[in-house]
Amino acid sequence: MSSSDRVILITTANAKGGRDEELRRLFASVAAFREARPQALVDHHLLLQCCNDPAASVDSIGVPGDVRVTSDTAQLPLSVARNRMLETVLAQEDLDDALIGFPDDDAWYPAGTLEAVYDAFRDDRDLDLWFCRYGSAATWQPDAPWQTPSLQQVLSFASSNTVLLRGRILKSVRRFDETLGLGTPARSGEDTGFALRAFREARTARFVDARMIGHRDFDPSIRAKYYGGALLAIRRYGGSSPAGLWALGRKTLVGAALVARGELPVSEYRDALATTARG
């Protein structure tokens, strides 16, 4: 078996979060991929948080027997939870050509999407990073063009759910920034920082401007909540290139617009700017 046959998925879920049905949908989409690509060796890691009885939770959710389940009684910051599973993955050999994904517990792969990306990574050994949009009505769209992304497209659309990358890139990026993301004061930005570093390391990256991975639709009303972390991630990982500096300036103006519309308190905007200035 070639390492290009390997698919490694990393998911974390709150055992008491009420998303059992959504998790089963994710597992079903992965099972459909296994059936469509029987040569693929899928290694799905699941960390159950707020979990006092792992066996009971696994039985209640209906976790397939081939999913590698670990648990913690606490609710961990999202970046910390992912890094815990990444430690196990990064310790493995023959990782360079594996396909890596980070589907949330409420994400899923429409039939055709994961298969197409898997095939593309096997056929083009320079392809290191792929991403698309997400949405609740996502479908595989075979006629949607694959394009070379701009840095701004990475910032706008490369979330943990939509990014699929080659193992050699994971070995370079290695971890999510544990000072960013849900469960930290920043509240967001871990996806952005990770994607920016992967984009910087990728030999070839492709973006599909279509909703081809399933996830609940973005709620514009929460933009202000996640503003500070996203701004800090751009500052840390966007680089000093003209595109990176432009993206930082653009995000700063977005914050000012949120303040003007009453969505972001002035005090939070000032705190975000001050934190970003410190890096």
Side-chain angles (χ1 to χ4, degrees), residues 128-150:
D128 285 331
L129 176 69
W130 182 96
F131 64 100
C132 65
R133 292 175 179 254
Y134 66 75
S136 61
T139 59
W140 162 236
Q141 300 177 47
D143 296 328
W146 293 27
Q147 58 185 278
T148 299
S150 66

Side-chain angles (χ1 to χ4, degrees), residues 247-267:
L248 184 62
R250 181 181 184 274
K251 193 68 174 181
T252 302
L253 293 176
V254 166
L258 291 172
V259 171
R261 291 199 294 267
E263 297 179 37
L264 179 65
V266 174
S267 60

Side-chain angles (χ1 to χ4, degrees), residues 3 21 52 58 70 81 89 114 123 125 141 168 175 202 273-274:
S3 65
E21 184 176 347
N52 296 312
V58 165
T70 55
V89 171
L114 191 55
D123 293 342
R125 295 303 176 90
Q141 300 177 47
R168 64 168 293 273
R175 297 167 60 84
L273 294 178

Side-chain angles (χ1 to χ4, degrees), residues 30-38 115:
V30 175
F33 167 75
R34 291 177 189 266
E35 184 174 349
R37 295 293 184 273
E115 291 90 334

Side-chain angles (χ1 to χ4, degrees), residues 22-35:
E22 288 87 346
L23 265 172
R24 287 191 286 270
R25 178 179 58 187
L26 171 61
F27 296 143
S29 73
V30 175
F33 167 75
R34 291 177 189 266
E35 184 174 349

